[in-house]
Amino acid sequence: MRVHKLTFAAMAVAAGLTLTACQNGEDGAAAQGPAPAAPAASTPSSGGGSSAGSANQGSGKGSAGTSSNGKGTAAGTGTGSGDSAKGGKCRTDDLEITASDSTVGGDAEGTVAVQLKNRGSGDCTLSEYAGVDVKTSAGSLSAKRTGEHPGPAVLKKGTSVYFGVNYPLNTSGGSGVRITGLVVTPPDETKSVSLAWPGAATLPVTDGSGSPIKVGPIGSAGQGG
């Protein structure tokens, strides 16, 4: 009987050790079980961080784009305002050009007033001097500028501006040089307009030392040189 008791006792001890080992193994597994969960949790967190970073970068780019567009709009607005204020250059095709005699009795010189009327779609700008050539029976005479510098002028749509062409009157009693026409080229343009000459019929004969015709700046109709 004693032998059986010892055997049973040994089996009990072995079973106890086995149960303890199993419990320790389960406890270890339980302790180690959450460990893989940490990297799993870490991975979404890392992905979330990348997504947030991308969002921030995208937001940053969006802000930069908006700022750039804003500046572009501001620059465009400034340019538009400047163009609106000054107007584009007056083109020959947008101008109605006429000439009339504006000589006043008693003047030492004759004066022809040249009218420029803006018939274009908007305001335009004229610089100081137009080109003027007077055609005569002896050839063409180019007018000399009188020298004033008033600066560019804005010609409103539908409005007119004048400049004067001054020439010597033929008081010699001779036949003089016959005037046959007037050619006007608007400022900064190459296209000219030919007009009938509205002033005195002749110029006095000169010694050929220079043109006796003078042209004033835009807005100078009636002014002497």
Side-chain angles (χ1 to χ4, degrees), residues 12 60 66 73 104 136 150 160 168 174 176 182 206 223:
T66 302
T73 302
V104 177
T136 75
S160 299
L182 175 67
T206 64
Q223 295 180 4

Side-chain angles (χ1 to χ4, degrees), residues 37-51:
S42 174
T43 300
S45 174
S46 175
S50 299
S51 175

Side-chain angles (χ1 to χ4, degrees), residues 75-177:
T77 302
T79 302
S81 299
D83 288 343
S84 176
K86 296 188 299 182
K89 180 175 68 174
C90 294
R91 301 290 184 178
T92 302
D93 291 339
D94 292 330
L95 296 171
E96 180 182 342
I97 304 176
T98 57
S100 60
D101 185 13
S102 62
T103 303
V104 177
D107 285 352
E109 292 183 312
T111 301
V112 166
V114 178
Q115 178 186 19
L116 305 176
K117 183 176 181 178
N118 181 4
R119 61 183 183 184
S121 60
D123 300 351
C124 62
T125 302
L126 290 166
S127 58
E128 297 175 340
Y129 287 89
V132 171
D133 293 290
V134 174
K135 295 182 177 181
T136 75
S137 57
S140 183
L141 297 173
S142 295
K144 294 182 177 180
R145 296 178 178 182
T146 55
E148 297 95 337
H149 295 287
V154 175
L155 185 59
K156 299 289 185 181
K157 177 183 176 181
T159 64
S160 299
V161 68
Y162 301 80
F163 66 86
V165 179
N166 300 106
Y167 62 97
L169 296 172
N170 183 14
T171 58
S172 65
S175 59
V177 178

